[in-house]
């Protein structure tokens, strides 16, 4: 099963694919590390983002998407555009994607119970993908 971990920051969706097969984790080859939405975006731009995300999920056989939840208000609140991106992902038409939001408390407790099997630095991913990788890992462990 392949899960796409997503971290929404500003107008970017940072992605990381993580596959679990017979108890063994692997990182499927994916050239796309993040999808972006233009700052002064239109309805068409949002639809293009949604289509690009959907196409990527189909191309790689992703069955589930795990998004690190952002707080709606307070010191660590997510921006308005990131909530639009989340809605676009959740409302992909005709998709058989299971989209889940992972609250920070669930991520923390899951990592405490099931620490990452290898240090993130050894994955070969870019540093900015760490949160997306963690979201995908936690989604696999929470299933």
């Amino acid at each position: 099963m392949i899960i796409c971990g997503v971290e929404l920051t500003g107008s970017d969706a940072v992605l990381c694919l993580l596959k679990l097969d017979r108890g063994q984790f692997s990182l499927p080859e994916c050239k796309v590390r993040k999808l972006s939405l233009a700052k002064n975006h239109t309805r068409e731009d949002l639809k293009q983002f949604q289509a690009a995300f959907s196409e990527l999920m189909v191309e790689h056989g992703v069955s589930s998407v795990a998004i690190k939840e952002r707080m709606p208000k307070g010191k660590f609140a997510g921006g308005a555009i990131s909530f639009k991106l989340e809605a676009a992902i959740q409302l992909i038409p005709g998709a058989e994607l299971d989209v889940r939001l992972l609250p920070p408390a669930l991520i923390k407790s899951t990592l405490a119970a099931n620490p990452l099997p290898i240090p993130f630095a050894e994955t070969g991913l870019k540093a900015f993908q760490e949160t997306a990788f963690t979201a995908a890992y936690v989604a696999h462990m929470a299933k």
Side-chain angles (χ1 to χ4, degrees):
M1 167 188 255
I2 299 175
I3 293 181
C4 178
V6 179
E7 178 189 22
L8 299 172
T9 58
S11 58
D12 297 325
V14 178
L15 311 171
C16 177
L17 302 181
L18 187 63
K19 181 178 184 177
L20 179 61
D21 187 26
R22 291 184 225 134
Q24 202 67 8
F25 284 105
S26 64
L27 295 164
E29 188 63 37
C30 181
K31 292 180 178 159
V32 179
R33 294 186 179 113
K34 68 178 169 179
L35 293 172
S36 299
L37 184 66
K39 295 285 183 198
N40 297 320
H41 60 276
T42 63
R43 179 174 184 255
E44 276 308 307
D45 293 332
L46 199 53
K47 287 174 111 178
Q48 285 177 354
F49 168 84
Q50 186 182 51
F53 191 93
S54 177
E55 191 176 299
L56 186 68
M57 297 302 105
V58 170
E59 180 183 327
H60 290 283
V62 174
S63 56
S64 185
V65 176
I67 302 172
K68 181 183 181 229
E69 186 178 60
R70 288 130 8 267
M71 299 297 106
K73 57 185 174 180
K75 185 177 179 182
F76 300 106
I81 294 174
S82 71
F83 287 104
K84 281 185 176 184
L85 296 178
E86 177 185 311
I89 293 168
Q90 289 178 320
L91 297 173
I92 291 175
E96 297 299 321
L97 283 177
D98 171 33
V99 180
R100 297 177 48 203
L101 294 177
L102 302 176
L106 174 67
I107 293 172
K108 187 175 180 179
S109 66
T110 302
L111 288 174
N114 303 293
L116 291 171
I118 62 168
F120 178 77
E122 293 178 19
T123 63
L125 296 170
K126 300 290 183 187
F128 67 86
Q129 291 178 284
E130 185 170 5
T131 302
F133 171 76
T134 303
Y137 175 75
V138 167
H140 272 298
M141 294 290 93
K143 283 216 176 249

